[in-house]
Amino acid sequence: MGLKERREREREERKRQILAAARSLLFEEGLQATSVNKIARRAELGVGTIYFYFAGKEEIFAALQEEGIEVLQAMILRDLEGAKGPEERLRSIARTYVDFSREKGDYFDIINYFLSSPGVMFNEDLKERIDQRGNRVVSLLVSTVEAGIASGDFRKVDARKFAMMFWATLHGLMLFRKLKTTMLRGEDYHALVGYAVDHLVGSIRGESNTG
Amino acid sequence: MGLKERREREREERKRQILAAARSLLFEEGLQATSVNKIARRAELGVGTIYFYFAGKEEIFAALQEEGIEVLQAMILRDLEGAKGPEERLRSIARTYVDFSREKGDYFDIINYFLSSPGVMFNEDLKERIDQRGNRVVSLLVSTVEAGIASGDFRKVDARKFAMMFWATLHGLMLFRKLKTTMLRGEDYHALVGYAVDHLVGSIRGESNTG
Amino acid sequence: MGLKERREREREERKRQILAAARSLLFEEGLQATSVNKIARRAELGVGTIYFYFAGKEEIFAALQEEGIEVLQAMILRDLEGAKGPEERLRSIARTYVDFSREKGDYFDIINYFLSSPGVMFNEDLKERIDQRGNRVVSLLVSTVEAGIASGDFRKVDARKFAMMFWATLHGLMLFRKLKTTMLRGEDYHALVGYAVDHLVGSIRGESNTG
Amino acid sequence: MGLKERREREREERKRQILAAARSLLFEEGLQATSVNKIARRAELGVGTIYFYFAGKEEIFAALQEEGIEVLQAMILRDLEGAKGPEERLRSIARTYVDFSREKGDYFDIINYFLSSPGVMFNEDLKERIDQRGNRVVSLLVSTVEAGIASGDFRKVDARKFAMMFWATLHGLMLFRKLKTTMLRGEDYHALVGYAVDHLVGSIRGESNTG
DNA sequence: CATGAATGAGTATTCATTCAT
DNA sequence: AATGAATGAATACTCATTCAT
């Protein structure tokens, strides 16, 4: 069994090595320019080897997506530290998502890639993992909302549904960043995002706090 | 001058013919599989001819996007007819966007394509046109909100900002449809959308109606 | 006959217009990027019109080559003004060719294009004109040499052959400019050109002057 | 390690195969008509395979240029065998370059292609190799001149600079072959080349021999 | 005279994936 | 377990030229 374990460990090691290559390419050249051949070259591995560890290109990207979600989670947690009170926490998460989409644009792109590509489908394993990681992030939102409800800061909303909606709004707005030069020309994009967050946060504030 | 006019008309005719080919390909094979060569083949035209009428692939897609926005607008207007009152109108628009993203998925995809691809940029003319069409749709949202404010049904919010946020939320949620099999597994996607619309509509309802 | 003349004049006018467009393209985008369609667009003429005035692309380029040769001639004459004595005149011409190849690189390129392309052949008319212009430039060299011979500054060489050789050397050296980063790496290209001119000039200096 | 060696050998084999196809195309259809797709078809290989062995079109051409330089070198060495004395050796090299440009015109063209195309640049490796091969040929000239100087046949000139100039003159004159039907019409091209060689050789002949 | 629509073979290059070794 | 050679369809786009009007 020691053998089996070692095998397993080596396997994980190799996967990490491949992902490191893929990640550096992603950040250096962007999603589109990141091909399997390039990954192999950078990882100093044969192309075939890549396919031994990953079922295909999408799976590598999916792994990168996982990473991205983890990075996002870490950023949220980090920023959450200084945030006092449910409302401030909600705002903090929003702010972090905005930062994430700007500073870790390639991770954001890859998340958006899977969200936007109708064709791409994961296998069950992958689904499971994405599911978990994603939910962990959403959970941060959910529990923030729940905490607010418990403390009376927020109204009794369906915390999970609200969280999903909150995220959808943010994600949509991040895509709208591109409209800065067209539909949002002359308008203040940053103010729009601020408005949306204000509005959504305000929309669940407990009545006692509204007055 | 009759000649010039005829030329112009024929030119428009050809463009329509090319767009028809592009559109049918888009709907049959999807965005990704729609290439300039295929469009030319289907239109029974030389590839060069395509480039005589359109500056490049993106311009064809942009035209298709315009179409998509117009289709969306028409759908919204059609559905709006039966809707009485600002609130019901807002809900109607949301419902229509959901329908649009499902029934005219390829048009939705192409709109999302331009929203999601950081690299792609339009020339000024195109920007202008997209701008106008897009704003026309957003205007439907804006004026609905304004009407609601005027009638006292809605609170005095920034109508345009709220409209953009409303659209962002819907757009984000439409992308989340893909999560049905992962993060939203076991949850009711439809109910989520319903919840979001309810929440947003509720969030601007005039205080008199809230109680 | 007044009509005929007017026709002729208008025809020349149009050709000039086309060449102006071609020339500006040549200098802005280079030889390779200059296509007939682009020329037509810039000249605000139909493509067909271009073909009414020029037999084809090569003919336009040939006309540009003529221009280039004329520019070269003008430069040589201008620079020759200050040059006293046959030897200094010869050096002046050499210097001018070097300047021409650097400052009017696109004209140089087009001359080299016809010199280098084995396939391209002119019609008789064109041949005649190129012939004349080219000879006019070579004549400047020839007569400089002849003057030197007459004055005793130069030995009694075959003036025309020497002139052709002189030009061939210069032209070859201009092409070698590209070797600066390879074969001539670490060597002084400018000094090489200087050496060559010195050597050739020295090689025909009359014995009385050599001492 | 036997495997690695075999791989390497096979790799070289394939490259040779591709170059054979490219070479035969070059000689049959000329430089311009030689495209990567045609090379692939002739080599009975997929296009992608070509790119597996060569970084791109220019690299194939560069390899062909190397070949050409080697062919030239071989020709020079072969012809040099019968040549006695520095002067005769210099003349021999000149004669060979003339023959090379006529008999191996396509190799000459490809050498001229890299000399004439301002845009095309090699990578460092390629530079190095071209550098070496080119210098090997120039060395033949240089050492011939040096031998002449040592023997007192030639004056004490800068051997390398003279050699480069000598080559430049020859190369320029080879390009002028095209002028046979225009500027050199009625003149004896062959005599011009002969004159140039005579002149250049004479120009470095030691004084004792001049009288 | 002038137009400009139409062509379609052509360009270099990329790509994810397979499979025999 | 690992390799890397091979594929070939696919990509967007260009071009000189023709010809009916």
Side-chain angles (χ1 to χ4, degrees), chain A residues 14 47-49 52-53:
Chain A
R14 270 270 195 268
V47 216
T49 312
F52 186 77
Y53 291 98

Side-chain angles (χ1 to χ4, degrees), chain C residues 18-155:
Chain C
I18 292 167
L19 285 178
R23 186 189 321 115
S24 75
L25 268 168
L26 175 69
F27 273 82
E28 280 172 35
E29 320 210 18
L31 185 57
Q32 178 150 250
T34 299
S35 72
V36 179
N37 284 284
K38 279 186 186 172
I39 294 170
R41 216 172 304 138
R42 180 158 301 197
E44 293 180 313
L45 253 28
V47 215
T49 313
I50 306 285
Y51 280 87
F52 186 78
Y53 291 97
F54 291 92
K57 188 201 181 192
E58 304 288 0
E59 207 173 286
I60 298 177
F61 283 178
L64 252 22
Q65 190 198 22
E66 277 189 76
E67 271 193 22
I69 298 176
E70 268 172 26
V71 166
L72 172 60
Q73 189 189 14
M75 282 175 67
I76 290 177
L77 285 172
R78 184 199 58 193
D79 295 349
L80 229 32
E81 275 185 14
K84 303 285 178 236
E87 182 171 328
E88 184 45 38
R89 289 172 72 83
L90 211 47
R91 289 178 184 280
S92 168
I93 292 175
R95 242 177 349 246
T96 308
Y97 201 66
V98 175
D99 291 347
F100 174 75
S101 77
R102 235 183 9 213
E103 291 159 23
K104 312 280 174 182
D106 299 290
Y107 275 139
F108 179 84
D109 283 351
I110 218 166
I111 290 174
N112 186 242
Y113 167 75
F114 284 109
L115 240 26
S116 293
S117 309
V120 185
M121 267 303 151
F122 312 114
N123 64 39
E124 282 306 316
D125 256 30
L126 222 39
K127 265 187 189 171
E128 202 60 48
R129 293 216 314 278
I130 303 277
D131 192 19
Q132 281 180 23
R133 311 255 194 234
N135 269 326
R136 224 173 291 164
V137 173
V138 171
S139 289
L140 294 173
L141 264 178
V142 175
S143 58
T144 296
V145 175
E146 284 174 339
I149 295 172
S151 69
D153 287 290
F154 295 156
R155 292 189 291 112

Side-chain angles (χ1 to χ4, degrees), chain D residues 20-37:
Chain D
R23 190 189 316 115
S24 76
L25 267 167
L26 176 70
F27 275 81
E28 280 172 35
E29 319 208 18
L31 185 58
Q32 178 151 249
T34 300
S35 73
V36 180
N37 282 289

Side-chain angles (χ1 to χ4, degrees), chain D residues 48-165:
Chain D
T49 311
I50 306 290
Y51 282 88
F52 186 75
Y53 289 95
F54 292 91
K57 188 202 182 193
E58 306 290 1
E59 202 171 295
I60 298 178
F61 282 1
L64 253 21
Q65 191 198 25
E66 277 189 77
E67 272 192 23
I69 298 175
E70 269 172 23
V71 166
L72 171 61
Q73 189 190 14
M75 284 175 66
I76 290 176
L77 285 172
R78 184 200 59 195
D79 296 349
L80 228 32
E81 275 185 15
K84 300 287 178 235
E87 183 172 329
E88 184 45 38
R89 290 172 72 83
L90 212 48
R91 290 178 183 283
S92 168
I93 291 174
R95 242 174 355 246
T96 308
Y97 201 66
V98 175
D99 291 348
F100 173 76
S101 78
R102 228 179 21 210
E103 290 160 22
K104 312 282 174 180
D106 299 289
Y107 274 139
F108 178 84
D109 285 349
I110 216 165
I111 289 173
N112 187 241
Y113 165 75
F114 283 110
L115 240 27
S116 294
S117 310
V120 184
M121 266 303 151
F122 313 111
N123 64 40
E124 283 305 317
D125 257 28
L126 226 36
K127 265 188 187 170
E128 203 60 47
R129 292 219 313 277
I130 303 277
D131 193 20
Q132 280 179 21
R133 308 246 198 249
N135 269 326
R136 224 173 291 163
V137 173
V138 171
S139 288
L140 293 173
L141 264 177
V142 174
S143 58
T144 295
V145 175
E146 284 173 340
I149 295 172
S151 70
D153 288 289
F154 296 155
R155 290 190 291 111
K156 281 180 181 143
V157 297
D158 181 326
R160 178 155 180 99
K161 283 204 175 67
F162 180 82
M164 292 304 296
M165 181 195 74

Side-chain angles (χ1 to χ4, degrees), chain B residues 7 11 14 45-49 52-53:
Chain B
R7 277 262 166 86
R11 197 174 167 81
R14 268 274 191 266
L45 253 25
V47 209
T49 310
F52 186 75
Y53 289 96

